[in-house]
Amino acid sequence: MRPEIKRAQHTIPTGASSPLRACRNVESAPLVVAEAHGQYLHDIDGTRYVDFMYGFGPLILGHAPQPVSDAIARQAANGTLFGTYCVQEVELAERIAETADHLEQLRFVCSGTEAVMSTLRLARAHTGRTGVLRFNGGYHGHFDLVQNKDEARMRDAGLDPAAMRSNVYAEYNDTGSVERAFAEHPGRIAAVVVEPIACNMSLVLPQDGFLADLRRICDREGTLLIFDEVITGFRLTYGPASELLGVAPDLTAFGKIIGGGTPVGAFGGRRDIMRLLDEEQVLQGGTLAGNPLTMAAGLATLDVLAEPGFYEELERKGALLEAAVERHRAEKGLDFHFVRTGSIFAFIFVPRSATVRRKADVAAQPVSPYTTLYAGIREAGYHLAPDIEEPMYISAATTDETLEDFAARAVELLAADPNTPVVPPA
């Protein structure tokens, strides 16, 4: 064990302030990074890694992009926290709100967890109900109302039983399970909260009609529809992914990208719901919410994202990677899912004849192919997410050469693992 890790474990539980960083789920030693630039991480020994995790998604421009670094430096020289109104906060709120019609008002917080938590409190206040319907395998933060103690990988110690009783569960991409949940809990469900594209069970895409069904059911039942876009917001298009998917929620939670690599969250939606904050019926606040440093970083990031062709170029890179993986997979006779939407991608190690549409489908995969991939690709100078159910990301800094090389190396490593599915004999 590295002395830095041993030192960290003495003071910090698991040695990390967020558990996946301990790399226990990939049976590897934690990576200790000293600096990062563009597509590269550099550890404290000077070893360089091409990054595909990008801080679990926020760093769509790559590490330390010059416009964002410059904006942070300028703002730091003029103050990092005012505790009052600041113009940057208003400007960033306006820019986000103008991306979707349902975003009539917006408020900032400091994390995606806080953003989702605030939308649920608003939904309960608006409807006068307490139940929250969520989907098995979804992740919306670590507070009680969105913890699923029935999942083997979750822990139920310390959770409030009363809060847990407010949870109602359904299956992602299964309209029938949603209908049954409403029938079993009539007049009780305040909100349906969902990642419109499920990025916390590897990467599972919504089937045609599923999100529209949620909108229809919520309208019928007087329930609010909340999209958790902490990951997908500004990742796939300039604004929420709901604009691409053609379904408007009542409230949206943002995070990650809108802070330009600094701590951030935001939530917004219809004015008649958000007004409950105006009327002080719902209490929500935070000392660091909307701080000028984060707002400056967010504005600088959105400046770049708004440039013509930005998302088209990310899509081109994503398609290049997908084609390369599929080419090498076919050459090796392997039979796994490579799932991609825009600049998000994941490997799911079940045969392509098997449908991947919900948590149980993802949970059926063997773990060892990913453990083999993570260790081997890290040895080759690449860094992936340290968990089989976390997706990976492409940034504006990722090069075509990197994508081609990674695809070849990744498939070669997977071919060496006996648990990687293979194409059955004809």
Side-chain angles (χ1 to χ4, degrees):
M1 180 185 293
R2 295 192 62 99
E4 297 84 6
I5 303 301
K6 187 173 182 180
R7 176 185 174 192
Q9 290 176 346
H10 180 72
T11 308
I12 306 170
T14 74
S17 293
S18 193
L20 290 185
R21 299 175 197 172
C23 292
R24 291 177 177 178
N25 293 345
V26 286
E27 302 173 6
S28 294
L31 191 66
V32 184
V33 173
E35 60 181 282
H37 304 278
Q39 66 175 344
Y40 297 111
L41 298 170
H42 300 261
D43 72 12
I44 56 176
D45 295 322
T47 304
R48 189 178 75 172
Y49 302 88
V50 173
D51 195 13
F52 280 114
M53 190 178 81
Y54 287 113
F56 293 97
L59 304 174
I60 192 169
L61 302 181
H63 292 280
Q66 200 64 52
V68 179
S69 295
D70 289 347
I72 290 173
R74 286 193 301 270
Q75 186 56 55
N78 291 315
T80 60
L81 180 64
F82 302 147
T84 68
Y85 281 82
C86 69
V87 174
Q88 299 94 322
E89 178 184 8
V90 180
E91 289 179 354
L92 186 57
E94 289 173 342
R95 289 214 208 165
I96 296 170
E98 70 186 11
T99 64
D101 289 343
H102 80 277
L103 294 173
E104 294 177 329
Q105 287 193 310
L106 193 86
R107 183 172 277 192
F108 291 104
V109 288
C110 294
S111 70
T113 289
E114 285 183 71
V116 175
M117 182 175 68
S118 301
T119 63
L120 293 181
R121 182 172 291 180
L122 276 173
R124 296 170 92 177
H126 181 77
T127 62
R129 304 171 184 175
T130 58
V132 174
L133 189 150
R134 49 157 305 195
F135 295 90
N136 289 318
Y139 177 77
H140 307 286
H142 64 270
F143 58 102
D144 291 14
L145 269 180
V146 290
Q147 289 299 289
N148 186 349
K149 69 176 183 178
D150 296 324
E151 293 178 13
R153 297 178 64 182
M154 292 296 187
R155 303 292 181 264
D156 61 1
L159 297 178
D160 180 1
M164 296 303 295
R165 286 194 293 271
S166 296
N167 281 324
V168 177
Y169 301 110
E171 296 294 338
Y172 188 76
N173 276 327
D174 186 343
T175 298
S177 74
V178 178
E179 292 281 20
R180 289 190 295 273
F182 273 94
E184 292 167 5
H185 302 274
R188 181 184 161 210
I189 299 174
V192 172
V193 59
V194 63
E195 288 183 282
I197 297 172
C199 298
N200 278 287
M201 53 178 101
S202 246
L203 178 60
V204 179
L205 307 181
Q207 294 197 320
D208 288 347
F210 174 64
L211 296 176
D213 284 344
L214 294 184
R215 179 70 277 171
R216 172 182 55 81
I217 293 168
C218 286
D219 288 343
R220 183 191 72 206
E221 299 290 338
T223 296
L224 297 190
L225 179 59
I226 299 171
F227 277 4
D228 177 347
E229 296 225 32
V230 171
I231 290 177
T232 54
F234 289 86
R235 168 54 69 174
L236 304 174
T237 188
Y238 187 79
S242 59
E243 293 296 285
L244 291 177
L245 298 168
V247 176
D250 300 298
L251 294 168
T252 296
F254 293 98
K256 296 189 185 287
I257 287 173
I258 64 167
T262 64
V264 74
F267 62 98
R270 288 172 19 206
R271 190 177 299 273
D272 64 308
I273 304 169
M274 296 294 289
R275 71 175 176 80
L276 295 173
L277 298 167
D278 254 349
E279 298 171 0
E280 297 187 352
Q281 294 184 47
V282 174
L283 176 63
Q284 182 277 318
T287 299
L288 293 168
N291 72 81
L293 196 68
T294 294
M295 301 297 99
L299 286 166
T301 299
L302 264 59
D303 282 344
V304 180
L305 302 188
E307 293 175 359
F310 179 86
Y311 287 97
E312 289 79 3
E313 175 63 6
L314 274 189
E315 170 61 27
R316 185 194 67 78
K317 291 181 181 182
L320 186 155
L321 174 61
E322 183 175 2
V325 169
E326 291 299 333
R327 183 174 69 252
H328 292 294
R329 180 201 55 73
E331 290 171 356
K332 294 291 185 181
L334 302 181
D335 190 25
F336 56 81
H337 286 256
F338 181 80
V339 186
R340 179 188 71 86
T341 180
S343 57
I344 313 173
F345 68 92
F347 298 88
I348 302 178
F349 302 106
V350 297
R352 287 174 298 155
S353 59
T355 302
V356 177
R357 55 180 290 182
R358 65 187 72 185
K359 167 67 174 181
D361 301 331
V362 174
Q365 67 181 323
V367 174
S368 74
Y370 192 76
T371 304
T372 296
L373 173 61
Y374 180 88
I377 209 74
R378 188 164 134 180
E379 184 68 24
Y382 289 88
H383 180 243
L384 304 183
D387 186 89
I388 192 172
E389 292 189 12
E390 291 285 338
M392 272 72 72
Y393 304 91
I394 297 166
S395 82
T398 310
T399 67
D400 290 6
E401 294 76 15
T402 286
L403 295 169
E404 292 281 4
D405 184 67
F406 169 74
R409 291 176 183 269
V411 174
E412 186 74 28
L413 287 162
L414 292 172
D417 189 280
N419 289 313
T420 301
V422 297
V423 176

